[in-house]
Amino acid sequence: TTDLHVGYEGPVGESASYYVQVGASVVSPDGAESDTVPSGKAGLGVALSDSLGAYGEVSFVGSGDKDIDRGYGAKLGLKYSF
């Protein structure tokens, strides 16, 4: 899958930031025809200290067919900067 997105990001207060992206995903399954479907993601990051941050993201990939379910995802994590 290849994402073709346009996005926006910005600060949230002193120690956090957010981003949103929307666009299309080119889905190329093995042995099947490629399809271009709508997709997007949004996330939030928060500084926990000078070198440690936490982040979260939610995302979706459309199916291009109203009879087929969309794909949804979520990520949570920590990021350490040396």
Side-chain angles (χ1 to χ4, degrees):
T1 300
T2 302
D3 293 333
L4 306 168
H5 287 171
V6 62
Y8 184 80
E9 60 185 38
V12 177
E14 295 283 325
S15 62
S17 62
Y18 73 94
Y19 67 92
V20 292
Q21 297 178 8
V22 294
S25 290
V26 179
V27 180
S28 305
D30 289 339
E33 198 172 307
S34 296
D35 196 9
T36 302
V37 296
S39 63
K41 57 181 80 172
L44 180 68
V46 178
L48 302 175
S49 71
D50 287 342
S51 57
L52 184 64
Y55 66 89
E57 178 183 285
V58 293
S59 61
F60 79 94
V61 175
S63 65
D65 184 339
K66 67 179 181 179
D67 296 326
I68 299 175
D69 289 339
R70 293 179 172 92
Y72 298 95
K75 294 180 186 178
L76 293 174
L78 298 173
K79 181 178 177 181
Y80 184 80
S81 299
F82 295 92

